[in-house]
């Protein structure tokens, strides 16, 4: 199993690196849409409903992505990728704050599972609503991260995305190995029995160290001490994303979202933490650059 996971990762890594760095912003954004369409299809399997509702969900997600893309096009964002100082008051950037609030609700549902969690997640509609918000916001967040300073340095946003993935991958790898060797105390036994506190702490330390080293070499425009705090927050958020998908899969009675990636399951299984981390990461960057005022 581990060997198969490594082979799949080695095959996909060059493709992922090429996608992060080389396409222009518009092409990059368009390539992401079918990728998120696949994730939407995998999320639809968590809805426990009929084919019509699943198809409708996928169509709504793709329509939401298309709508945001059209919105950005109308703002000439792809030609002049700037974000206004009052970004919390401007569509479609408001979606980022909506997503963060939804992740807070998701965290509460994880804590309350299985009692209250099963009540709130009964039927497909709440799970579908979460899916639309999370997928649309993550797509927007990834596009915005990639757009950072792109007119001055085409590759800078790609480095930021890679830094985000270092946080997520570091947390995953650290949690896996620390959990295997030292894991004793269950983190969330009802939601994900294999996760332990030792693994979570090991993942936190691993991700923070690796991402801080990576941030130093990238040359961020803010202090490394500020980034260490951000990295810790992002690791916690990545665990929430992972646990939320695990909760939905447990509710749906399935092990993996699909079998697209040998040894890894589906794209959603690999990118569940990305759905939660990306909005938090770009909001942190925007707060650092523009400040913050909440107006939904």
């Amino acid at each position: 199993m581990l060997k198969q996971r490594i082979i799949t990762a080695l095959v996909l890594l060059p493709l992922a690196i090429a996608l992060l760095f080389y396409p222009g912003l518009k092409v990059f954004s368009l390539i992401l849409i079918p990728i998120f369409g696949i994730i939407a299809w995998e999320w639809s399997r968590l809805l426990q409903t009929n084919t019509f509702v699943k198809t409708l969900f996928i169509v709504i997600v793709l329509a939401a992505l298309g709508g945001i893309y059209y919105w950005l096009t109308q703002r000439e964002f792809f030609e002049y990728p700037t974000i206004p100082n009052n970004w919390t008051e401007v569509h479609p950037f408001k979606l980022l704050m909506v997503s963060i609030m939804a992740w807070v609700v998701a965290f509460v549902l994880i804590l309350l599972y299985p009692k209250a969690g099963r009540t709130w997640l009964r039927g497909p509609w709440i799970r579908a609503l979460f899916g639309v918000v999370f997928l649309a916001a993550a797509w927007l967040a990834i596009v915005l991260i990639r757009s950072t300073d792109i007119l001055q340095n085409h590759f800078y946003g790609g480095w930021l995305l890679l830094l985000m993935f270092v946080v997520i991958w570091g947390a995953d790898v650290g949690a896996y190995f620390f959990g295997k060797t030292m894991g004793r105390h269950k983190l969330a036994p009802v939601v994900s029995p294999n996760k332990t506190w030792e693994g979570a702490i090991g993942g936190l330390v691993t991700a923070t160290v690796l991402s801080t080293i990576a941030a130093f070499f990238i040359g961020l425009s803010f202090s490394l001490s500020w980034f260490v705090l951000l990295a810790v927050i992002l690791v916690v958020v990545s665990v929430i994303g992972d646990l939320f998908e695990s909760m939905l899969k447990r509710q749906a009675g399935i092990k993996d979202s699909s079998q697209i990636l040998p040894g890894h399951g589906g794209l959603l299984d690999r990118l569940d933490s990305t759905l939660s981390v990306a909005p938090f990461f770009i909001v942190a960057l925007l707060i650092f650059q523009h400040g913050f005022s909440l107006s939904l």
Side-chain angles (χ1 to χ4, degrees):
M1 183 68 172
L2 180 59
K3 181 180 178 181
Q4 194 175 39
R5 288 168 69 97
I6 292 173
I7 292 173
T8 301
L10 290 176
V11 171
L12 292 179
L13 187 59
L15 297 175
I17 296 297
L19 175 61
L20 290 184
F21 286 99
Y22 290 103
L25 184 59
K26 197 169 204 175
V27 173
F28 174 80
S29 305
L30 288 171
I31 292 174
L32 284 183
I33 290 178
I35 293 175
F36 271 76
I38 295 172
I39 298 174
W41 166 69
E42 293 175 339
W43 193 288
S44 73
R45 299 184 67 225
L46 305 177
L47 301 182
Q48 292 179 283
T49 186
N50 57 60
T51 302
F52 173 77
V53 175
K54 291 179 181 178
T55 304
L56 179 63
F57 169 77
I58 297 169
V59 170
I60 291 174
V61 170
L62 291 175
L65 299 184
I68 298 171
Y69 178 85
Y70 175 77
W71 226 328
L72 293 175
T73 302
Q74 291 299 105
R75 296 179 59 87
E76 297 185 333
F77 178 81
F78 296 110
E79 290 76 23
Y80 308 100
T82 57
I83 301 173
N85 290 332
N86 62 333
W87 59 274
T88 58
E89 303 173 8
V90 179
H91 293 294
F93 308 115
K94 286 183 178 183
L95 178 60
L96 299 171
M97 296 308 303
V98 173
S99 172
I100 286 178
M101 293 177 183
W103 277 114
V104 172
V105 174
F107 177 59
V108 173
L109 290 177
I110 293 169
L111 294 178
L112 296 178
Y113 191 81
K115 296 181 180 178
R118 283 179 179 164
T119 300
W120 280 99
L121 296 174
R122 183 176 299 166
W125 304 110
I126 297 296
R127 281 173 280 180
L129 180 60
F130 273 119
V132 172
V133 171
F134 289 158
L135 268 62
W139 180 89
L140 174 61
I142 292 170
V143 170
L144 295 182
I145 295 169
R146 182 65 185 88
S147 74
T148 305
D149 291 336
I150 195 169
L151 296 180
Q152 288 74 38
N153 183 346
H154 176 77
F155 300 110
Y156 185 68
W159 285 113
L160 286 180
L161 283 173
L162 186 59
L163 178 61
M164 180 186 75
F165 285 119
V166 168
V167 173
I168 296 170
W169 296 337
D172 282 347
V173 173
Y176 178 82
F177 286 103
F178 277 86
K180 282 288 186 182
T181 56
M182 302 171 58
R184 296 292 184 274
H185 302 88
K186 300 297 184 182
L187 176 65
V190 178
V191 175
S192 185
N194 293 328
K195 290 181 173 59
T196 63
W197 279 103
E198 292 83 359
I201 294 171
L204 175 64
V205 173
T206 303
T208 302
V209 170
L210 291 178
S211 61
T212 302
I213 293 172
F216 174 78
F217 283 103
I218 290 173
L220 298 179
S221 57
F222 41 82
S223 68
L224 285 180
S225 59
W226 188 91
F227 178 76
V228 169
L229 174 61
L230 175 60
V232 171
I233 294 172
L234 294 182
V235 172
V236 173
V237 171
S238 76
V239 173
I240 293 173
D242 191 1
L243 288 176
F244 188 69
E245 195 223 351
S246 296
M247 181 179 71
L248 294 184
K249 288 193 295 186
R250 182 165 292 275
Q251 183 83 358
I254 62 177
K255 183 178 183 296
D256 296 315
S257 59
S258 75
Q259 298 298 326
I260 288 178
L261 304 176
H264 291 267
L267 281 175
L268 179 59
D269 298 318
R270 292 301 91 209
L271 297 176
D272 50 5
S273 294
T274 304
L275 299 183
S276 58
V277 170
F280 279 83
F281 188 28
I282 188 58
V283 165
L285 295 177
L286 291 175
I287 290 174
F288 180 81
Q289 294 172 351
H290 303 293
F292 175 77
S293 62
L294 184 59
S295 175
L296 298 179

